[in-house]
């Protein structure tokens, strides 16, 4: 029997075509502008539901990568998504998470992250999990730090956005740290 | 004209280079930077890869054979990928072990860096290695690369964990080290 990725806050499930419209609305929210979301999307250029549907359809059957929607359990509303990829090496998968701005600070992201870390360390022979965020995205950096991720440094000039270079902060969480409760 | 340095030139791959590429890929010390691969690559596999590279003006990757100027012998390869037009690229190199320590890798690195900054107009060049490959770290540092990200224990090779190291070199840093060159590209940001 499949263990449901759900608690009283969130449910994680695969994308459906009906998710394209609400997810596009989340990704086009001004407060989320400039983040690296999905491949083939451009910073500050709105993404349409049809383009998003194509992007997601193209990634649906990729091996060693998973995209799941985050659904708010109480309302059934789409709240964001998580992505895990281990295409090059299952030793060190990468993880990213996006939560709609008006649904942040309600514990949805924390629940989703906890589920995904448990899934990664429970189902992959991973030794560490890697994550990346733009240098200006202080809430994301603080969120990951709170969940035990360690700052590994900054890749300089990862992007050019709104007239300035953006560094990308690398973060990692080792299995033994997660097991010790930092990620729990 | 090939990209020419003091000791080596970088030229396109040719069919006659396939045995060298197999040899480098089947040696655990030169085959891949972050994980060991089964050393069972064949010339047929490399021929397939060689023949599948289509014509394009928009490749975001590139592959070069490192040829020793003194005798025209192919001694390694270097390549780049993830080219972001006019912004950034990631590159890597592998040299035959019997040619280590003679300055060929450094010359190849300086040759390709000049191409990246002077021709591609890039703002940053990156390379990946791991903490167990101090030769590569030193090679990068000799051209001004510095370690910008250290991901702990993200590599397992030779029975041990190593840190993944991301090294980068900014355009301004490159030109500071090369006073013989003048940067005509205005700064961004």
């Amino acid at each position: 029997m499949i263990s449901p990725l759900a608690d009283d806050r969130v449910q994680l499930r695969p994308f459906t075509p009906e998710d394209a419209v609400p997810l596009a609305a989340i990704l086009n929210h001004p407060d989320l502008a400039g983040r690296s979301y999905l491949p083939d999307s451009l910073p500050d250029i709105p993404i349409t539901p049809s383009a998003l549907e194509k992007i997601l359809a193209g990634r649906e059957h990729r091996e060693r990568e998973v995209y799941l929607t985050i659904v708010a359990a109480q309302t059934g509303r789409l709240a964001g998504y998580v992505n895990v990829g281990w295409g090059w090496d299952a030793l060190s998968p990468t993880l990213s998470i996006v939560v709609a701005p008006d649904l942040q600070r309600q514990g949805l992201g924390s629940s989703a992250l906890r589920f995904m870390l448990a899934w990664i360390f429970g189902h992959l022979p991973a030794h560490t999990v890697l994550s990346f965020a733009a240098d200006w995205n202080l809430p994301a950096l603080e969120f990951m730090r709170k969940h035990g991720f360690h700052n590994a440094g900054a890749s300089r000039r990862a992007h050019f956005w709104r007239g300035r270079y953006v560094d990308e902060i690398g973060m990692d969480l080792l299995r033994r740290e997660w097991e010790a409760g930092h990620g729990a | 004209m090939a990209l020419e340095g003091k000791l080596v030139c970088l030229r396109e791959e040719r069919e006659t280079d396939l045995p060298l590429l197999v040899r480098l890929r089947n040696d655990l010390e030169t085959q891949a930077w972050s994980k060991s691969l089964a050393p069972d690559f064949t010339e047929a596999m490399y021929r397939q890869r060689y023949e599948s590279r289509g014509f394009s003006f928009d490749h975001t990757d590139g592959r070069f054979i490192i040829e020793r100027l003194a005798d025209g012998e192919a001694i390694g390869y270097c390549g780049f990928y993830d080219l972001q037009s006019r912004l950034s690229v990631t590159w890597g190199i592998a040299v035959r072990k019997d040619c280590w320590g003679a300055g060929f890798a450094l010359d190849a690195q300086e040759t390709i860096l000049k191409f990246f900054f002077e021709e591609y107009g890039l703002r940053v060049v990156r390379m990946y290695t791991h903490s167990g490959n101090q030769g590569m770290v030193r090679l990068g540092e000799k051209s001004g690369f510095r370690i910008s990200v250290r991901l702990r224990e993200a590599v397992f090779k030779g029975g041990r964990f190593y840190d993944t190291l991301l090294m980068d070199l900014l355009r301004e840093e490159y030109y500071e080290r090369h006073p013989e060159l003048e940067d005509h590209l205005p700064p961004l940001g």
Side-chain angles (χ1 to χ4, degrees):
Chain A
M1 182 178 163
I2 295 174
S3 304
L5 296 171
D7 61 11
D8 58 352
R9 283 203 172 110
V10 297
Q11 178 198 1
L12 304 185
R13 59 158 174 76
F15 280 97
T16 65
E18 292 71 39
D19 294 326
V21 170
L23 185 59
I26 290 172
L27 298 183
N28 289 333
H29 191 289
D31 290 354
L32 290 183
R35 300 186 191 188
S36 296
Y37 299 118
L38 297 165
D40 307 322
S41 64
L42 292 167
D44 286 359
I45 306 292
I47 192 165
T48 63
S50 60
L52 184 58
E53 208 172 326
K54 275 185 205 157
I55 292 170
L56 292 172
R59 303 186 79 78
E60 192 174 14
H61 300 296
R62 281 169 65 104
E63 288 183 20
R64 295 172 288 180
E65 182 176 46
V66 78
Y67 278 91
L68 295 172
T69 56
I70 304 170
V71 177
Q74 306 241 324
T75 61
R77 191 182 144 194
L78 189 78
Y81 74 85
V82 289
N83 165 243
V84 178
W86 60 101
W88 174 247
D89 195 343
L91 186 81
S92 50
T94 57
L95 177 149
S96 57
I97 181 166
V98 172
V99 176
D102 62 319
L103 293 175
Q104 290 178 7
R105 294 181 179 78
Q106 297 175 28
L108 304 182
S110 291
S111 283
L113 183 61
R114 277 194 287 266
F115 274 128
M116 288 321 292
L117 289 173
W119 187 85
I120 289 167
F121 288 121
H123 295 279
L124 297 175
H127 182 69
T128 180
V129 179
L130 314 179
S131 192
F132 300 88
D135 58 3
W136 54 264
N137 193 352
L138 300 179
L141 298 172
E142 174 58 22
F143 173 78
M144 299 305 276
R145 190 199 62 75
K146 197 179 85 179
H147 285 274
F149 279 77
H150 164 267
N151 186 321
S155 172
R156 299 181 293 167
R157 298 187 178 174
H159 312 283
F160 185 70
W161 178 64
R162 293 186 178 176
R164 81 165 184 96
Y165 293 112
V166 175
D167 294 347
E168 194 169 65
I169 309 298
M171 295 166 280
D172 59 16
L173 175 67
L174 297 169
R175 175 182 284 268
R176 62 177 175 271
E177 294 169 342
W178 177 77
E179 286 174 345
H182 293 287
Chain B
M1 187 178 78
L3 304 179
E4 196 163 307
K6 296 187 175 89
L7 301 172
V8 300
C9 73
L10 309 181
R11 59 152 176 85
E12 81 287 354
E13 280 182 8
R14 297 171 190 158
E15 208 164 352
T16 50
D17 299 319
L18 301 183
L20 169 68
L21 298 173
V22 171
R23 175 178 167 182
L24 291 168
R25 189 66 74 190
N26 284 343
D27 184 324
L28 294 181
E29 289 187 83
T30 56
Q31 60 167 209
W33 71 271
S34 72
K35 67 176 183 182
S36 293
L37 308 171
D40 64 349
F41 288 82
T42 63
E43 275 189 46
M45 292 176 193
Y46 267 90
R47 180 164 292 105
Q48 191 179 29
R49 188 182 84 146
Y50 171 75
E51 289 174 348
S52 69
R53 186 168 168 83
F55 179 90
S56 172
F57 288 140
D58 298 311
H59 283 302
T60 56
D61 65 344
R63 303 199 293 257
F64 297 101
I65 293 296
I66 303 171
E67 194 174 271
R68 189 162 50 198
L69 286 176
D71 56 6
E73 182 152 341
I75 61 164
Y77 73 83
C78 64
F80 62 87
Y81 61 96
D82 196 20
L83 173 68
Q84 309 289 321
S85 182
R86 305 293 179 181
L87 180 65
S88 64
V89 79
T90 304
W91 91 291
I93 185 170
V95 172
R96 263 171 33 192
K97 285 194 292 191
D98 60 310
C99 297
W100 287 6
F104 298 124
L106 179 59
D107 194 46
Q109 178 171 256
E110 285 294 330
T111 303
I112 203 165
L113 286 175
K114 187 175 181 186
F115 176 72
F116 288 150
F117 289 116
E118 289 273 277
E119 305 297 334
Y120 274 179
L122 300 181
R123 307 294 177 156
V124 59
V125 176
R126 287 181 240 288
M127 55 189 264
Y128 282 95
T129 186
H130 63 77
S131 53
N133 191 349
Q134 286 304 308
M136 193 66 197
V137 173
R138 280 194 298 273
L139 174 67
E141 287 173 343
K142 280 179 186 170
S143 290
F145 282 88
R146 69 185 207 198
I147 296 169
S148 58
V149 178
R150 177 184 291 271
L151 296 160
R152 300 167 301 158
E153 301 177 27
V155 167
F156 185 80
K157 275 174 83 90
R160 289 189 55 185
F161 281 108
Y162 297 101
D163 300 338
T164 284
L165 304 178
L166 171 59
M167 301 181 76
D168 55 25
L169 173 66
L170 303 186
R171 181 177 187 83
E172 303 88 292
E173 295 166 350
Y174 173 78
Y175 280 94
E176 271 173 32
R177 298 174 68 89
H178 289 276
E180 77 281 11
L181 299 174
E182 191 177 347
D183 187 4
H184 295 283
L185 206 54
L188 284 175

